[in-house]
Amino acid sequence: MEERHKRVLQSNRSNLVRDLDPSKLYDGLLEKGVFTQDMIDEIQSSGTRRDQARQLVRDLETRGSRAFPLFLQCLTETGQHSLAEILQSGAPSVHLQPVAPTQVVRPAVQPLPLLPEESMRSRPQGRVRRDSIQSYKMDASPCGHCLIINNVEFEPECELNNRSGSNIDCDKLERRFKALNFTVEVKTNLKQRQIKHALSALSKKDHSQCDCCVVIMLSHGTEVSHNRFPGAVYGVDGQHVPVQHITNYLNGQHCPSLQGKPKLFFIQACGGGERDTGFEVSPDEAPPSIRGEDDQTDAIPMSSSSDSLSMSDEPDARATLPTPSDILVSYSTFPGYVSWRDTQSGSWYVETLDRILEENAPTDDLVTMLMMVNNEVSQNSAKGLYKQMPGSFNFLRKLLYFQSQT
């Protein structure tokens, strides 16, 4: 497919996923040689109508130069005129009439020409089609296990402040991942040893019927030496667990039933003790959102701090994986910096993540949504001064789309 046509599809992906009725298109796309029967079978087995629409659009981009105009023709023939007009307006040189009618009437004899790279790639008969960039299977019910460790009240001798507002974060994420069809388990106020035990128990579960696994850590954090993933999170006893160890519990060696499946780690914790004051931007940049007096951080209290802001969790250490595939670690803040939490509404990161997942999970992949989170959180400002920048260490091999509620 020509690059300009790919851009039209990509820029209208949300509209297509929301409004397209793939079931009306299958016969026409098969007759015109755009897809083979095996490809259509795979699209139909991808899940809900939205899932099928998303898969159809992605697969369409891998087909021949005539795939786009024939797709527009099928939309018109099946009464999906508004979508056809939207796509046509973005590609004015495309005509809905078949380029070679004789080819359309005899698809079995003269199928649609494939892209050069597609025609060079042999496809074993009956084998499920997978492109180099493809999406993870995410249609199991339940989709997988989600473990949330929420450390709020810390032992006095460890000199870590209690994390007011963390229960708000925990409640939001529990509801959100239940809505995404995960089995959610919440554990509160765990010591270091108990954190390790909970992760070990999760790794020993049978995940063979699941498609994904999620671990969410809500606690104080600190910087530790690392090879891949920075930081560590604290137990309520003041002893920390490196993120490196946290991810290792679910790697292919320690949890064989999760091999090849996405393992997601969300860390609401400080990446260190430094406070980011940001830098000046041009006037046309979006104005920052000024947060209130209730902003706190989850880092270790600093002796030089005299204001009412407390620091959030520090960065977590990375997992020493021989092959860290199918792992994504999302941090609430850039390594070395504090992460802000409002005692009334919860942390900036979790509040934004929850809303982005609610609004965009039906149409966007996880990495795209995390970029949205990064952008929105970066616009916030604690007391008009301090900033925060989330980020991720991404070792996923494919796109990840959560199950949509349609």
Side-chain angles (χ1 to χ4, degrees), residues 13-20 49-50 53 83 86 362-363:
R13 189 183 300 274
S14 295
N15 290 331
L16 288 166
V17 171
R18 185 185 65 239
D19 300 330
L20 184 68
R49 179 195 61 78
R50 284 178 181 260
L83 287 176
I86 291 173
T363 57

Side-chain angles (χ1 to χ4, degrees), residues 243-290:
V243 175
Q244 140 185 346
H245 296 167
I246 293 172
T247 58
N248 271 344
Y249 278 100
L250 299 182
N251 68 17
Q253 179 182 358
H254 296 113
C255 189
S257 59
L258 280 175
Q259 288 179 359
K261 301 176 182 180
K263 280 79 68 175
L264 312 178
F265 300 85
F266 297 90
I267 313 296
Q268 167 54 43
C270 273
E274 189 170 351
R275 298 186 180 192
D276 186 5
T277 56
F279 59 91
E280 280 195 40
V281 295
S282 59
D284 58 346
E285 291 283 349
S289 170
I290 309 300

Side-chain angles (χ1 to χ4, degrees), residues 341-384:
R341 172 173 34 81
D342 188 296
T343 59
Q344 302 301 316
S345 59
S347 67
W348 297 0
Y349 168 74
V350 171
E351 181 182 17
T352 308
L353 175 65
D354 175 58
R355 180 171 49 78
I356 293 293
L357 287 173
E358 179 181 19
E359 296 174 355
N360 298 278
T363 57
D364 293 302
D365 68 279
L366 174 60
V367 173
T368 298
M369 289 189 286
L370 289 177
M371 284 192 290
M372 297 178 188
V373 173
N374 295 351
N375 180 57
E376 294 203 18
V377 172
S378 70
Q379 303 300 318
N380 292 333
S381 180
K383 288 191 171 181

Side-chain angles (χ1 to χ4, degrees), residues 116-388:
E117 61 267 27
E118 187 76 19
S119 59
M120 293 171 60
R121 194 163 56 226
S122 60
R123 200 186 307 282
Q125 186 66 28
R127 184 177 177 178
V128 174
R129 173 175 170 272
R130 292 294 176 198
D131 295 322
S132 58
I133 298 295
Q134 193 56 276
S135 58
Y136 285 103
K137 177 182 178 297
M138 291 284 288
D139 57 3
S141 187
C143 187
H145 295 280
C146 173
L147 172 64
I148 302 176
I149 295 178
N150 179 30
N151 285 348
V152 182
E153 300 174 354
F154 289 77
E155 297 176 355
E157 54 269 25
C158 69
E159 298 183 349
L160 291 170
N161 291 335
N162 290 341
R163 302 179 60 254
S164 301
S166 187
N167 286 333
I168 300 172
D169 287 346
C170 185
D171 291 343
K172 287 178 180 177
L173 292 173
E174 181 180 6
R175 288 194 301 268
R176 181 59 46 218
F177 279 90
K178 282 182 177 178
L180 295 173
N181 200 16
F182 281 81
T183 300
V184 181
E185 180 181 15
V186 177
K187 292 186 175 294
T188 306
N189 296 332
L190 300 189
K191 298 179 180 180
Q192 178 202 56
R193 175 181 54 80
Q194 295 171 320
I195 292 174
K196 293 179 178 180
H197 178 77
L199 291 167
S200 177
L202 179 63
S203 72
K204 293 175 182 177
K205 290 181 181 290
D206 181 8
H207 301 266
S208 59
Q209 301 303 310
C210 300
D211 290 334
C212 183
C213 188
V214 176
V215 173
I216 300 172
M217 304 295 299
L218 310 173
S219 187
H220 285 298
T222 186
E223 282 189 285
V224 297
S225 60
H226 60 276
N227 296 323
R228 290 193 185 94
F229 305 116
V233 293
Y234 278 103
V236 295
D237 57 353
Q239 301 299 312
H240 66 254
V241 182
V243 175
Q244 140 185 346
H245 296 167
I246 293 172
T247 58
N248 271 344
Y249 278 100
L250 299 182
N251 68 17
Q253 179 182 358
H254 296 113
C255 189
S257 59
L258 280 175
Q259 288 179 359
K261 301 176 182 180
K263 280 79 68 175
L264 312 178
F265 300 85
F266 297 90
I267 313 296
Q268 167 54 43
C270 273
E274 189 170 351
R275 298 186 180 192
D276 186 5
T277 56
F279 59 91
E280 280 195 40
V281 295
S282 59
D284 58 346
E285 291 283 349
S289 170
I290 309 300
R291 306 296 294 224
E293 294 292 324
D294 294 320
D295 291 325
Q296 298 182 345
T297 71
D298 288 330
I300 302 174
M302 300 179 68
S303 57
S304 60
S305 176
S306 59
D307 56 28
S308 60
L309 297 175
S310 68
M311 287 190 277
S312 134
D313 306 316
E314 304 188 7
D316 297 326
R318 55 176 189 169
T320 52
L321 298 174
T323 309
S325 61
D326 308 300
I327 286 178
L328 182 143
V329 181
S330 175
Y331 293 93
S332 63
T333 190
F334 193 80
Y337 289 86
V338 300
S339 179
W340 295 97
R341 172 173 34 81
D342 188 296
T343 59
Q344 302 301 316
S345 59
S347 67
W348 297 0
Y349 168 74
V350 171
E351 181 182 17
T352 308
L353 175 65
D354 175 58
R355 180 171 49 78
I356 293 293
L357 287 173
E358 179 181 19
E359 296 174 355
N360 298 278
T363 57
D364 293 302
D365 68 279
L366 174 60
V367 173
T368 298
M369 289 189 286
L370 289 177
M371 284 192 290
M372 297 178 188
V373 173
N374 295 351
N375 180 57
E376 294 203 18
V377 172
S378 70
Q379 303 300 318
N380 292 333
S381 180
K383 288 191 171 181
L385 177 62
Y386 299 119
K387 310 292 289 183
Q388 181 176 328

